[in-house]
Amino acid sequence: MRHRQESKRKGRYRSSKDSEGLELKPPRQQDPTSTPKTPFVTEASGLSRTYESYLPQSADDRTIQQKTKATLDQIELHVENFYRNSASSAPRLDNAELAVFDSPYLPASLTSLLPRSKNRINLMKHALAHSVTSSISPSASPAPSLLPTEYGLLPSTVTSARSNVSTKAGSGQIMSRWRVMTAYLRPDPTKDVAYIAQRNRQINDTVQSFATAFAPWKNIGYKDEERARSLAAILEDAATLGIFLFSQPSTLKFHWPTSGEVGPGRIVVSPALVKTTDEKGQDLMEGQVMVKQVVLDA
């Protein structure tokens, strides 16, 4: 029979057995001079790993910049290709669909600006870019979202008027952990049939709504089907970008300056992407501009 060697460590409990012969190990007293506890050991690999090693890791700045700029550039190109400054038909000034694409970062409503603007293309670029970036920003409630529902529930609650979460100590760091843990634990959106169906419905609604709102300025050299396919592909890519940005440990936000900040007669047609926290969720002294904004004449 193998004899169990007793520990020579001072203050260590000895093992005992219960009435059924099962070995019982009394709780260990913590030695204040001992080294930190080792991470748990995975049964599959036998390697010691902390839970954080399983979470999505931060992408490098260049990757974030390239992915974001690619989507924003495609939005601009879509409007340049499929729409024109001059109206192909008389625009309806009471077009309710235009109101869907109004933006708080424009000096007035689209219904008011479009008829008198010489740069309608730029107004349409702003309208589409604002709509798309809002739909992939989890805190931009109640805008229709292209993200999984779970990504937006907590952020919209935290940013609501009744919330005081932002004043709580460590809230930024905890939200950073929550995002990457949610991205890890939630089933892969690219393989989630229910999410894809929900996303596709929202894409179709946006495609139809934008086409109707800006129909007077469409480029008649393209078929409506081509226009729809182009925007649908951009929105699908935008959804993928939104999921990617959400999973980053650092907080990344699209920044839209007000019309007063960019000056009279100028508008932002493509927003800046700004990193506001580091990988630990701690606020940066000054936001890091990852992608620069594009400002043009209104």
Coordinates of all heavy atoms in Angstrom, one line a residue, residues 169-238:
A169 N -17.1 53.8 -10.2 CA -15.7 53.5 -10.3 C -15.5 52.2 -11.1 O -16.1 51.2 -10.9 CB -15.1 53.4 -8.9
G170 N -14.6 52.3 -12.1 CA -14.2 51.1 -12.9 C -15.2 50.8 -14.0 O -15.0 49.7 -14.6
S171 N -16.2 51.6 -14.2 CA -17.2 51.2 -15.2 C -16.6 51.0 -16.6 O -17.0 50.1 -17.3 CB -18.3 52.3 -15.2 OG -17.8 53.6 -15.6
G172 N -15.7 51.9 -17.0 CA -15.1 51.7 -18.3 C -14.3 50.4 -18.5 O -14.5 49.7 -19.5
Q173 N -13.5 50.1 -17.4 CA -12.8 48.8 -17.5 C -13.7 47.6 -17.5 O -13.5 46.6 -18.2 CB -11.9 48.7 -16.3 CG -10.7 49.7 -16.3 CD -11.0 50.9 -15.5 OE1 -12.1 51.5 -15.6 NE2 -10.1 51.3 -14.6
I174 N -14.8 47.7 -16.7 CA -15.7 46.6 -16.7 C -16.5 46.4 -18.0 O -16.7 45.3 -18.5 CB -16.7 46.8 -15.5 CG1 -15.9 46.7 -14.2 CG2 -17.8 45.7 -15.5 CD1 -16.7 47.1 -13.0
M175 N -16.9 47.5 -18.6 CA -17.6 47.5 -19.9 C -16.7 46.9 -21.0 O -17.1 46.1 -21.8 CB -18.0 48.9 -20.3 CG -19.3 49.4 -19.6 SD -20.7 48.3 -20.0 CE -21.0 48.6 -21.7
S176 N -15.4 47.2 -20.9 CA -14.4 46.6 -21.8 C -14.4 45.1 -21.7 O -14.4 44.3 -22.7 CB -13.0 47.2 -21.6 OG -12.0 46.5 -22.3
R177 N -14.3 44.6 -20.5 CA -14.3 43.2 -20.2 C -15.7 42.5 -20.7 O -15.7 41.4 -21.2 CB -14.1 42.9 -18.7 CG -12.8 43.2 -18.2 CD -11.7 42.2 -18.7 NE -11.1 42.8 -20.0 CZ -10.3 42.1 -20.8 NH1 -9.9 40.9 -20.5 NH2 -9.9 42.6 -21.9
W178 N -16.8 43.3 -20.4 CA -18.1 42.7 -20.8 C -18.1 42.5 -22.3 O -18.7 41.5 -22.8 CB -19.2 43.7 -20.3 CG -20.5 43.3 -20.9 CD1 -21.3 42.3 -20.4 CD2 -21.2 43.8 -22.1 NE1 -22.5 42.2 -21.2 CE2 -22.4 43.1 -22.2 CE3 -20.8 44.7 -23.0 CZ2 -23.3 43.3 -23.2 CZ3 -21.7 45.0 -24.1 CH2 -22.9 44.3 -24.2
R179 N -17.6 43.5 -23.1 CA -17.7 43.4 -24.5 C -17.0 42.1 -25.0 O -17.5 41.4 -25.8 CB -17.1 44.6 -25.2 CG -18.0 45.8 -25.2 CD -17.6 46.8 -26.3 NE -16.1 47.0 -26.3 CZ -15.5 47.9 -25.5 NH1 -16.2 48.7 -24.7 NH2 -14.2 48.1 -25.6
V180 N -15.7 42.0 -24.6 CA -14.9 40.9 -25.1 C -15.5 39.5 -24.6 O -15.4 38.5 -25.3 CB -13.4 41.0 -24.8 CG1 -12.9 42.2 -25.6 CG2 -13.2 41.1 -23.3
M181 N -16.0 39.5 -23.4 CA -16.6 38.3 -22.9 C -17.9 37.9 -23.6 O -18.1 36.8 -23.9 CB -16.8 38.4 -21.4 CG -15.6 38.5 -20.6 SD -15.8 38.8 -18.8 CE -16.4 37.2 -18.3
T182 N -18.7 38.9 -23.9 CA -19.9 38.7 -24.7 C -19.5 38.2 -26.1 O -20.2 37.3 -26.6 CB -20.7 40.0 -24.8 OG1 -21.1 40.4 -23.5 CG2 -22.0 39.8 -25.6
A183 N -18.5 38.8 -26.7 CA -18.1 38.4 -28.1 C -17.6 36.9 -28.1 O -17.8 36.2 -29.0 CB -17.0 39.3 -28.6
Y184 N -17.0 36.5 -27.0 CA -16.5 35.2 -26.9 C -17.6 34.2 -26.6 O -17.7 33.1 -27.2 CB -15.4 35.1 -25.8 CG -15.0 33.7 -25.5 CD1 -14.1 33.0 -26.4 CD2 -15.4 33.0 -24.4 CE1 -13.7 31.7 -26.2 CE2 -14.9 31.7 -24.1 CZ -14.1 31.0 -25.1 OH -13.7 29.8 -24.8
L185 N -18.5 34.5 -25.6 CA -19.5 33.5 -25.2 C -20.7 33.4 -26.2 O -21.2 32.3 -26.3 CB -20.0 34.0 -23.8 CG -19.0 33.8 -22.6 CD1 -19.6 34.5 -21.4 CD2 -18.7 32.4 -22.4
R186 N -21.0 34.5 -26.8 CA -22.1 34.4 -27.7 C -21.8 33.5 -28.9 O -20.7 33.6 -29.5 CB -22.5 35.8 -28.3 CG -23.9 35.8 -29.0 CD -24.0 37.0 -30.0 NE -25.4 36.9 -30.5 CZ -25.7 36.1 -31.5 NH1 -24.9 35.2 -32.0 NH2 -27.0 36.1 -32.0
P187 N -22.7 32.7 -29.4 CA -22.4 31.9 -30.6 C -22.0 32.8 -31.7 O -22.5 33.9 -31.9 CB -23.8 31.2 -30.8 CG -24.5 31.1 -29.5 CD -24.0 32.4 -28.8
D188 N -21.2 32.2 -32.6 CA -20.6 32.9 -33.7 C -21.7 33.5 -34.6 O -22.5 32.7 -35.2 CB -19.7 32.0 -34.5 CG -19.0 32.7 -35.7 OD1 -19.3 33.9 -35.9 OD2 -18.2 32.0 -36.4
P189 N -21.8 34.8 -34.7 CA -22.9 35.4 -35.5 C -22.9 35.0 -37.0 O -24.0 34.9 -37.6 CB -22.6 36.9 -35.4 CG -21.9 37.1 -34.1 CD -21.0 35.9 -34.0
T190 N -21.7 34.7 -37.5 CA -21.7 34.3 -38.9 C -22.3 32.9 -39.2 O -22.5 32.5 -40.3 CB -20.2 34.3 -39.4 OG1 -19.5 33.3 -38.7 CG2 -19.6 35.6 -39.2
K191 N -22.5 32.2 -38.1 CA -23.1 30.9 -38.2 C -24.5 30.8 -37.5 O -25.1 29.7 -37.4 CB -22.2 29.8 -37.6 CG -20.8 29.7 -38.3 CD -19.9 28.7 -37.6 CE -18.5 28.7 -38.2 NZ -17.6 27.8 -37.5
D192 N -25.0 31.9 -37.1 CA -26.2 32.0 -36.4 C -27.4 32.3 -37.3 O -27.5 33.5 -37.8 CB -26.1 33.1 -35.3 CG -27.4 33.2 -34.4 OD1 -28.4 32.6 -34.8 OD2 -27.3 33.8 -33.3
V193 N -28.2 31.3 -37.7 CA -29.2 31.5 -38.7 C -30.2 32.6 -38.3 O -30.6 33.4 -39.1 CB -29.9 30.2 -38.9 CG1 -31.1 30.3 -39.9 CG2 -28.9 29.1 -39.5
A194 N -30.6 32.6 -37.0 CA -31.6 33.6 -36.5 C -31.0 35.0 -36.7 O -31.7 35.9 -37.1 CB -31.9 33.3 -35.1
Y195 N -29.8 35.2 -36.3 CA -29.2 36.5 -36.4 C -29.1 37.0 -37.8 O -29.4 38.1 -38.2 CB -27.8 36.6 -35.7 CG -27.0 37.8 -36.3 CD1 -27.3 39.1 -35.9 CD2 -25.9 37.6 -37.1 CE1 -26.6 40.2 -36.5 CE2 -25.2 38.7 -37.6 CZ -25.5 39.9 -37.3 OH -24.8 41.0 -37.8
I196 N -28.6 36.1 -38.7 CA -28.4 36.4 -40.1 C -29.8 36.8 -40.7 O -29.8 37.8 -41.5 CB -27.8 35.2 -40.9 CG1 -26.3 35.0 -40.4 CG2 -27.8 35.5 -42.4 CD1 -25.7 33.8 -41.0
A197 N -30.8 36.1 -40.4 CA -32.1 36.4 -40.9 C -32.6 37.8 -40.4 O -33.1 38.6 -41.2 CB -33.2 35.4 -40.5
Q198 N -32.3 38.1 -39.1 CA -32.6 39.4 -38.6 C -31.8 40.5 -39.3 O -32.3 41.6 -39.6 CB -32.3 39.4 -37.1 CG -32.3 40.8 -36.4 CD -31.6 40.7 -35.1 OE1 -31.9 39.9 -34.3 NE2 -30.7 41.7 -34.8
R199 N -30.5 40.3 -39.5 CA -29.7 41.2 -40.1 C -30.1 41.5 -41.6 O -30.2 42.6 -42.0 CB -28.2 40.7 -40.1 CG -27.2 41.6 -40.8 CD -26.0 40.8 -41.3 NE -26.3 39.9 -42.3 CZ -25.5 39.0 -42.8 NH1 -24.3 38.8 -42.3 NH2 -25.9 38.2 -43.8
N200 N -30.4 40.4 -42.3 CA -30.8 40.6 -43.7 C -32.1 41.3 -43.8 O -32.3 42.1 -44.8 CB -31.0 39.2 -44.3 CG -29.6 38.6 -44.6 OD1 -28.6 39.2 -44.4 ND2 -29.6 37.3 -44.9
R201 N -33.1 41.2 -42.9 CA -34.3 41.9 -42.9 C -34.0 43.4 -42.7 O -34.6 44.3 -43.4 CB -35.3 41.5 -41.8 CG -35.9 40.1 -42.1 CD -37.1 39.9 -41.1 NE -36.6 39.8 -39.8 CZ -36.3 38.6 -39.2 NH1 -36.3 37.5 -39.9 NH2 -35.9 38.6 -37.9
Q202 N -33.1 43.7 -41.8 CA -32.8 45.1 -41.6 C -32.0 45.7 -42.8 O -32.3 46.9 -43.2 CB -31.9 45.3 -40.3 CG -31.5 46.7 -40.0 CD -32.7 47.6 -39.8 OE1 -33.7 47.2 -39.1 NE2 -32.7 48.7 -40.5
I203 N -31.2 44.9 -43.4 CA -30.5 45.4 -44.6 C -31.5 45.7 -45.7 O -31.4 46.7 -46.4 CB -29.5 44.3 -45.1 CG1 -28.3 44.3 -44.2 CG2 -29.0 44.6 -46.5 CD1 -27.2 43.2 -44.5
N204 N -32.4 44.8 -46.0 CA -33.4 45.0 -47.0 C -34.3 46.2 -46.7 O -34.6 47.0 -47.7 CB -34.4 43.8 -47.1 CG -33.6 42.5 -47.7 OD1 -32.7 42.7 -48.4 ND2 -34.1 41.4 -47.3
D205 N -34.6 46.5 -45.5 CA -35.4 47.6 -45.1 C -34.6 48.9 -45.4 O -35.2 49.9 -46.0 CB -35.8 47.6 -43.6 CG -36.9 46.6 -43.3 OD1 -37.5 46.1 -44.3 OD2 -37.1 46.3 -42.1
T206 N -33.3 48.9 -45.1 CA -32.5 50.1 -45.3 C -32.3 50.4 -46.8 O -32.4 51.5 -47.2 CB -31.1 49.9 -44.6 OG1 -31.4 49.8 -43.2 CG2 -30.3 51.2 -44.8
V207 N -32.1 49.3 -47.5 CA -31.9 49.4 -49.0 C -33.1 50.0 -49.6 O -33.0 51.0 -50.4 CB -31.5 48.1 -49.6 CG1 -31.6 48.1 -51.1 CG2 -30.1 47.6 -49.2
Q208 N -34.2 49.5 -49.3 CA -35.5 50.0 -49.9 C -35.8 51.5 -49.5 O -36.2 52.3 -50.3 CB -36.7 49.1 -49.5 CG -36.6 47.7 -50.1 CD -37.7 46.8 -49.7 OE1 -38.7 47.3 -49.2 NE2 -37.5 45.5 -49.9
S209 N -35.5 51.7 -48.2 CA -35.8 53.1 -47.6 C -34.9 54.1 -48.3 O -35.4 55.2 -48.7 CB -35.6 53.0 -46.1 OG -35.9 54.3 -45.6
F210 N -33.6 53.8 -48.4 CA -32.7 54.8 -49.0 C -33.0 55.0 -50.5 O -33.0 56.1 -51.0 CB -31.2 54.3 -48.8 CG -30.2 55.3 -49.2 CD1 -29.8 56.2 -48.2 CD2 -29.6 55.4 -50.4 CE1 -28.9 57.2 -48.5 CE2 -28.7 56.4 -50.7 CZ -28.3 57.3 -49.7
A211 N -33.3 53.9 -51.2 CA -33.6 54.1 -52.6 C -34.9 54.9 -52.8 O -34.9 55.7 -53.8 CB -33.8 52.7 -53.2
T212 N -35.9 54.8 -52.0 CA -37.1 55.6 -52.1 C -36.8 57.0 -51.7 O -37.3 57.9 -52.4 CB -38.2 55.0 -51.2 OG1 -38.4 53.6 -51.5 CG2 -39.5 55.8 -51.3
A213 N -36.1 57.2 -50.6 CA -35.9 58.6 -50.2 C -35.1 59.4 -51.2 O -35.4 60.6 -51.4 CB -35.1 58.6 -48.8
F214 N -34.1 58.8 -51.8 CA -33.2 59.6 -52.7 C -33.5 59.2 -54.2 O -32.6 59.5 -55.1 CB -31.8 59.4 -52.3 CG -31.5 59.8 -50.9 CD1 -31.5 58.9 -49.9 CD2 -31.3 61.2 -50.7 CE1 -31.2 59.4 -48.6 CE2 -31.0 61.6 -49.4 CZ -31.0 60.7 -48.3
A215 N -34.6 58.7 -54.5 CA -35.0 58.3 -55.9 C -34.9 59.5 -56.9 O -34.4 59.3 -58.0 CB -36.4 57.7 -55.9
P216 N -35.2 60.7 -56.5 CA -35.1 61.8 -57.5 C -33.7 62.0 -58.0 O -33.5 62.6 -59.1 CB -35.7 63.0 -56.7 CG -36.6 62.4 -55.7 CD -35.9 61.1 -55.3
W217 N -32.7 61.6 -57.2 CA -31.3 61.9 -57.6 C -30.6 60.7 -58.0 O -29.3 60.7 -58.1 CB -30.6 62.6 -56.4 CG -31.3 63.9 -56.0 CD1 -31.1 65.1 -56.6 CD2 -32.3 64.0 -55.0 NE1 -31.9 66.0 -56.0 CE2 -32.6 65.4 -55.0 CE3 -32.9 63.2 -54.0 CZ2 -33.6 65.9 -54.1 CZ3 -33.8 63.7 -53.2 CH2 -34.1 65.1 -53.2
K218 N -31.3 59.6 -58.3 CA -30.6 58.4 -58.8 C -30.0 58.5 -60.1 O -30.5 59.3 -61.0 CB -31.5 57.2 -58.7 CG -32.6 57.2 -59.8 CD -33.5 56.0 -59.6 CE -34.7 56.0 -60.6 NZ -35.5 54.8 -60.5
N219 N -28.9 57.9 -60.4 CA -28.3 57.8 -61.7 C -29.0 56.8 -62.5 O -28.9 55.6 -62.3 CB -26.8 57.5 -61.5 CG -26.0 57.5 -62.8 OD1 -26.6 57.5 -63.9 ND2 -24.7 57.5 -62.7
I220 N -29.7 57.3 -63.6 CA -30.6 56.4 -64.3 C -29.7 55.5 -65.3 O -30.3 54.6 -66.0 CB -31.6 57.2 -65.2 CG1 -30.9 58.2 -66.1 CG2 -32.6 57.9 -64.2 CD1 -31.8 58.9 -67.0
G221 N -28.4 55.7 -65.2 CA -27.5 54.8 -66.0 C -27.4 53.4 -65.4 O -26.8 52.5 -66.0
Y222 N -27.9 53.3 -64.2 CA -27.8 52.0 -63.5 C -29.2 51.5 -63.2 O -30.1 52.2 -63.0 CB -27.1 52.1 -62.1 CG -25.6 52.4 -62.3 CD1 -25.1 53.7 -62.3 CD2 -24.7 51.3 -62.4 CE1 -23.7 53.9 -62.4 CE2 -23.3 51.6 -62.5 CZ -22.9 52.9 -62.5 OH -21.5 53.1 -62.6
K223 N -29.3 50.2 -63.2 CA -30.6 49.5 -62.9 C -30.8 49.6 -61.4 O -29.8 49.6 -60.6 CB -30.6 48.1 -63.4 CG -30.6 47.9 -64.9 CD -30.6 46.5 -65.3 CE -30.6 46.3 -66.8 NZ -30.6 44.9 -67.2
D224 N -32.1 49.6 -61.0 CA -32.4 49.6 -59.5 C -31.8 48.4 -58.9 O -31.4 48.4 -57.7 CB -33.9 49.7 -59.3 CG -34.5 51.0 -59.7 OD1 -33.7 52.0 -59.8 OD2 -35.7 51.1 -59.9
E225 N -31.8 47.2 -59.6 CA -31.3 46.0 -59.0 C -29.8 46.1 -58.7 O -29.3 45.6 -57.6 CB -31.5 44.8 -59.9 CG -33.0 44.4 -60.1 CD -33.7 45.3 -61.1 OE1 -33.0 46.2 -61.7 OE2 -34.9 45.1 -61.3
E226 N -29.0 46.8 -59.6 CA -27.6 47.0 -59.3 C -27.4 47.9 -58.1 O -26.5 47.6 -57.3 CB -27.0 47.6 -60.5 CG -27.0 46.8 -61.8 CD -26.4 47.5 -63.0 OE1 -27.1 48.4 -63.6 OE2 -25.2 47.2 -63.4
R227 N -28.2 48.9 -58.0 CA -28.1 49.8 -56.9 C -28.4 49.1 -55.6 O -27.7 49.3 -54.6 CB -29.1 51.0 -57.1 CG -28.8 52.3 -56.4 CD -29.7 53.4 -56.7 NE -30.6 53.2 -57.8 CZ -30.3 53.6 -59.1 NH1 -29.2 54.2 -59.4 NH2 -31.2 53.3 -60.1
A228 N -29.4 48.3 -55.6 CA -29.8 47.6 -54.4 C -28.7 46.6 -54.0 O -28.4 46.4 -52.8 CB -31.1 46.9 -54.6
R229 N -28.2 45.8 -54.9 CA -27.1 44.8 -54.6 C -25.9 45.5 -54.0 O -25.3 45.0 -53.1 CB -26.7 44.0 -55.9 CG -27.7 42.9 -56.2 CD -27.0 41.9 -57.2 NE -26.5 42.6 -58.4 CZ -27.3 42.7 -59.5 NH1 -28.5 42.3 -59.5 NH2 -26.8 43.3 -60.6
S230 N -25.5 46.6 -54.6 CA -24.3 47.4 -54.1 C -24.5 47.8 -52.6 O -23.6 47.5 -51.8 CB -24.1 48.6 -55.0 OG -23.1 49.4 -54.4
L231 N -25.6 48.4 -52.3 CA -25.8 48.9 -50.9 C -26.0 47.7 -50.0 O -25.5 47.7 -48.8 CB -27.1 49.8 -50.9 CG -27.3 50.4 -49.5 CD1 -26.1 51.1 -49.0 CD2 -28.5 51.4 -49.6
A232 N -26.7 46.6 -50.4 CA -26.8 45.4 -49.5 C -25.5 44.9 -49.2 O -25.2 44.5 -48.0 CB -27.7 44.4 -50.2
A233 N -24.6 44.8 -50.2 CA -23.2 44.2 -49.9 C -22.5 45.1 -48.9 O -21.8 44.7 -48.0 CB -22.4 44.1 -51.2
I234 N -22.6 46.5 -49.0 CA -21.9 47.4 -48.1 C -22.5 47.2 -46.7 O -21.7 47.2 -45.7 CB -22.1 48.8 -48.6 CG1 -21.4 49.1 -49.9 CG2 -21.7 49.9 -47.5 CD1 -21.7 50.4 -50.6
L235 N -23.8 47.1 -46.6 CA -24.4 46.9 -45.3 C -24.0 45.6 -44.6 O -23.8 45.5 -43.4 CB -25.9 47.0 -45.4 CG -26.4 48.4 -45.7 CD1 -27.9 48.3 -46.0 CD2 -26.2 49.4 -44.6
E236 N -23.8 44.6 -45.4 CA -23.4 43.3 -44.8 C -21.9 43.4 -44.3 O -21.6 42.9 -43.3 CB -23.5 42.2 -45.9 CG -23.2 40.8 -45.4 CD -23.4 39.7 -46.4 OE1 -24.3 39.9 -47.3 OE2 -22.8 38.6 -46.3
D237 N -21.1 44.1 -45.1 CA -19.7 44.3 -44.7 C -19.7 45.2 -43.4 O -18.9 45.0 -42.5 CB -18.9 45.0 -45.8 CG -18.6 44.1 -46.9 OD1 -18.7 42.8 -46.8 OD2 -18.2 44.6 -48.0
A238 N -20.6 46.2 -43.4 CA -20.7 47.1 -42.2 C -21.0 46.3 -40.9 O -20.5 46.5 -39.9 CB -21.7 48.2 -42.5

